[in-house]
Amino acid sequence: MTSSSAAPTPLSRADVLTARWHAQQLDRAPGAADSPGDVSVLDLGVQDTGPDGAAWGLAVRGAPGVAPGSLPPGLALAWTLRGAPHVYRRADLADVAVATAPLSEADAAKRVFDASKPLRAAGLAVLDALRTEARVERELVVDPSVKGDLSTRLTQRLPEPHLRWCRSCGATHSYEQTFRLAALQAGLELEPGTSPPVLRRVPGLEPSFYGRLGGEAPPRLDVVRGYLRFFPAASVQDVAGFLDAPVKDVRAHWPDDAVRVEITDAEPGARPAERWALADDAERLRGAAARHRDAHPGTDAPVVRLVGPYDLYLQLRDRATLVADEARAKDLWRVLGRPGAVLADGEVVGTWRPRASGRRLMVLTDPWVPWEAGLTDAVAEQAERLRAFRDAASVTVSSAETAPTR
């Protein structure tokens, strides 16, 4: 890991949030991207979870031609980081399989959670077990296969240490994380909009079967660099939490061009031991908020976005940097039934939830601060954008009666 005796670059919290807002292209106008693939966060993956999923995450970053439940042909969906479904550029899938693979055997064991104990007790290396599962999945998926059907056939082929009794299913099957993490290594993608999920072979993709690990990824798709790129001023522990990887492995794969930075006005709960940014980004971080204000003189209305509950902007691990108030953070990142966030120039100013009745859409908002007329109008404009995205007939914006207490 890079070690620097130089003093960390001092930054304000506003600088950091502004830089993250710009890095993730949430400041772009609707349709500003040249194509659906012209969205930077596709390098790290756009998680497809929540009511509007990855398509809305791309749309709010200016991607044209995206709609709920489908993907343009140049994009693909696969289980990758944390076993969650993510969207990538189809042309990148072979390299994504490398980038999202574990960094080591210890990393593999951590990522599969409770599956590691029985595998190791049987004398099996977790990476070898994942390779076995990937090869069997590849053999079984010749034609598109529903997840449950594939799981049943997989259970018949895997040795006992790979299997567990699932109380909720009332059946024995593969551990969920090994099943999911092996899929892209087997050259399998998910059919968008299918529930239960349907897996199919990626056309023209030669399966890697964990032949290369994550530390060998191309720089643009490297997930450690990617986290620092989209969340500058992050700690090693932040990146490890995002990947479900051991801190030791993340530290061993830390970019050589990372430099230390410091948020001088961070709340006490938002102060990790060391924060880092890529060297090319570090100087741009200083004064980012002031430059943003100077670029938009004479306007009181902020740039507003309604981001989904699992949008990348909310996937940060230093949550207190974004939301210092514990009650509000608990509401925003609740385990079940998460709301989306109302962002104004990168700040969370409230939450929102979609409510659909037939072709009528309601956006239920929960303001955290008093909304001036310009902010209220901007929220209504973004609600109309969501209506068009969903092809609803009408939309209304309604404020919840109660808001999270401070």
Side-chain angles (χ1 to χ4, degrees), residues 301-306 341-344 349-352 363-367 371-386 395-398:
V303 175
V304 169
R305 296 290 180 260
L306 305 181
V342 182
L343 303 178
V349 295
T351 62
W352 69 281
V363 174
L364 185 65
T365 63
D366 214 344
W371 288 2
E372 300 294 339
L375 176 54
T376 299
D377 291 344
V379 170
E381 180 181 319
Q382 293 305 302
E384 169 59 27
R385 188 176 175 185
L386 179 65
V395 64
T396 58
V397 179
S398 178

Side-chain angles (χ1 to χ4, degrees), residues 219-259:
R220 177 173 61 85
L221 301 176
D222 181 282
V223 291
V224 175
R225 289 187 66 84
Y227 190 94
L228 286 175
R229 176 181 163 197
F230 295 116
F231 295 104
S235 70
V236 176
Q237 291 77 9
D238 293 336
V239 181
F242 180 79
L243 301 179
D244 278 337
V247 170
K248 181 179 179 180
D249 280 299
V250 172
R251 186 174 283 116
H253 290 84
W254 205 246
D256 291 336
D257 57 340
V259 297

